[in-house]
Amino acid sequence: MKAVIYARYSSDNQREESIEGQLRECTAYCAKNDITILRSYIDRALSAKTDNRPNFQRMVKDSAKGLFDAVIVWKLDRFARNRYDSARYKAQLRKYGVKVLSATENISEGPEGIILEAMLEGMAEYYSAELSEKVIRGHTENALKCKYNGGTPTFGYVIDKNKHYQLDPRTAPVVLEIFNLYAQGTTLKKIRDYLNDKGVTTVRGKKIDLNFIAAVLHNRKYIGKYGYREIVTPGGISAIVPQDLFGRVQQKVSANKKAPARHKAEDNYLLTMLAREDVVYWICCFRTLDVSKLEERRRLIDSFVNSVTIFDDHILITFNYKDGSERVTFDDIKRSDLKSVGGPKEPNGLDAVG
């Protein structure tokens, strides 16, 4: 019998067997059963809840060439955690005389094997759904206790061993200074230059830019307001900026946004009279951004996105700006036009998606 190995590693569970461990056990299984291994197909950090996996699709396509008789997986949940996809692709492989074999699950060829395989696939799908619920439940429990939920920590705070926000004695005074300088009429550009001259950097060690300062001035964490999804807790964390100073700064920000531009006053904005003021403000901040540069793209994402958690059937994006989060399913991604900006590349230069 000739076979290929399919291995997959998903980033939603760091306790899963590594790719190397899967390959080792699959290789041992093949040696024990006198199976010749032709090659391996590997998808890293991709969920089996979706079939949108480049090497999985390549393996299914190659099965039509009649080169191999079986696909060896470490466990059946490496092949699929969705019962519909599992049945669909197994049927497609069978059409070309290829069967799926588990290296670690003893599944017989008889009727009882059909029942066992169905149970294992159902358990894998249940596990995936339960894991997603547990993570969201855990984040919600953390939020009710005003605890840190992951992602880049907010500038001005440190996270203690119990996941609580504590004032950072080094950067909290910088936050207060930014608010005071702006309230006194100092421009964003002058504040940026002043902080860079002092050697102040972001949480990730990057130089201070205008977007960083604008995000600081809008962040309600600095008046002690904790927010996660629909949970908002005034006074949930230690405040850095007094409420009256924060209010004066917001009034000044609003007034400056309405002030005539100092350059190209004839500029036309497509969303004028349609967007909320905050949206117009952020569009103006980023309108000169060069998204062809990696560092510029990172700066844009860092300004809005706090964390990204990948589950088997969706991605949970937590924002800085909205004090909330967005659940994006893989079907949503398929229906989007994200492919137009180019997806991740395989080593051979081909698109990893599509």
Side-chain angles (χ1 to χ4, degrees):
M1 183 183 291
K2 296 179 181 179
V4 297
I5 296 174
Y6 177 72
R8 177 190 64 83
Y9 180 82
S10 174
S11 61
D12 67 346
N13 187 349
Q14 299 303 319
R15 295 171 300 174
E16 287 184 287
E17 285 290 307
S18 66
I19 292 294
E20 291 72 23
Q22 293 178 45
L23 294 177
R24 183 173 59 254
E25 295 206 39
C26 288
T27 300
Y29 172 84
C30 290
K32 180 180 179 180
N33 292 277
D34 196 26
I35 298 174
T36 301
I37 302 172
L38 299 183
R39 61 161 297 179
S40 298
Y41 297 85
I42 300 172
D43 284 313
R44 295 182 184 272
L46 291 174
S47 166
K49 196 67 178 288
T50 172
D51 61 352
N52 192 14
R53 292 170 273 154
N55 279 308
F56 178 84
Q57 291 294 343
R58 191 168 292 119
M59 178 265 294
V60 173
K61 183 178 179 180
D62 288 348
S63 70
K65 300 176 183 178
L67 300 176
F68 51 89
D69 310 299
V71 174
I72 312 298
V73 293
W74 174 62
K75 285 187 176 180
L76 291 176
D77 65 0
R78 302 300 89 191
F79 185 80
R81 280 187 180 168
N82 177 304
R83 286 169 293 174
Y84 172 79
D85 283 345
S86 179
R88 171 190 173 192
Y89 285 106
K90 284 180 181 177
Q92 188 169 339
L93 292 173
R94 281 198 299 270
K95 184 169 66 174
Y96 302 118
V98 178
K99 55 186 176 180
V100 179
L101 300 176
S102 171
T104 59
E105 296 159 323
N106 187 17
I107 302 174
S108 66
E109 295 284 349
E112 65 277 8
I114 297 174
I115 296 296
L116 177 58
E117 188 170 338
M119 288 177 59
L120 291 172
E121 289 171 349
M123 289 171 62
E125 188 168 356
Y126 166 79
Y127 165 79
S128 176
E130 185 187 39
L131 177 63
S132 175
E133 290 182 1
K134 281 182 177 178
V135 171
I136 294 177
R137 191 184 310 127
H139 282 182
T140 301
E141 288 298 318
N142 281 346
L144 291 172
K145 299 173 184 176
C146 298
K147 289 186 175 183
Y148 170 66
N149 256 330
T152 304
T154 303
F155 184 86
Y157 294 96
V158 292
I159 309 302
D160 65 22
K161 63 180 181 180
N162 295 317
K163 293 188 176 181
H164 287 294
Y165 286 85
Q166 302 294 346
L167 297 182
D168 182 354
R170 184 178 62 87
T171 59
V174 176
V175 172
L176 183 58
E177 190 174 20
I178 291 173
F179 275 85
N180 280 320
L181 287 171
Y182 190 82
Q184 294 164 10
T186 308
T187 65
L188 297 183
K189 184 177 183 299
K190 288 183 177 179
I191 296 174
R192 176 201 64 187
D193 294 341
Y194 167 71
L195 295 178
N196 282 327
D197 288 342
K198 288 181 64 175
V200 177
T201 61
T202 68
V203 173
R204 294 187 176 180
K206 303 296 184 181
K207 289 185 65 175
I208 300 297
D209 59 23
L210 296 179
N211 300 319
F212 169 84
I213 299 170
V216 166
L217 295 175
H218 278 79
N219 196 332
R220 294 185 175 273
K221 276 193 176 75
Y222 296 130
I223 55 173
K225 181 177 287 187
Y226 178 98
Y228 172 76
R229 303 184 80 183
E230 70 281 359
I231 299 172
V232 178
T233 308
I237 58 178
S238 299
I240 296 177
V241 178
Q243 181 72 54
D244 63 324
L245 175 58
F246 189 88
R248 283 188 282 118
V249 165
Q250 302 316 303
Q251 290 177 357
K252 198 169 188 66
V253 168
S254 180
N256 286 341
K257 285 189 293 186
K258 294 178 181 178
R262 296 193 179 110
H263 60 88
K264 293 191 70 176
E266 69 278 6
D267 277 357
N268 292 319
Y269 298 100
L270 297 178
L271 298 180
T272 298
M273 305 305 293
L274 296 177
R276 303 182 313 282
E277 289 182 356
D278 284 343
V279 173
V280 176
Y281 175 75
W282 284 105
I283 290 175
C284 292
C285 280
F286 292 111
R287 64 179 182 152
T288 60
L289 201 72
D290 185 355
V291 295
S292 66
K293 297 179 179 178
L294 177 61
E295 191 58 39
E296 299 274 307
R297 296 199 299 271
R298 283 178 175 164
R299 191 178 74 186
L300 176 64
I301 293 173
D302 283 347
S303 297
F304 292 95
V305 179
N306 179 275
S307 65
V308 177
T309 306
I310 302 176
F311 300 98
D312 264 330
D313 59 345
H314 71 279
I315 300 173
L316 183 66
I317 306 174
T318 304
F319 299 100
N320 293 320
Y321 181 64
K322 292 177 64 179
D323 280 335
S325 59
E326 182 76 15
R327 177 186 170 115
V328 181
T329 68
F330 291 106
D331 285 338
D332 292 334
I333 296 175
K334 288 180 183 178
R335 290 193 294 267
S336 77
D337 62 353
L338 289 177
K339 294 179 183 178
S340 64
V341 298
K345 299 290 184 179
E346 290 293 316
N348 60 9
L350 300 175
D351 285 340
V353 178

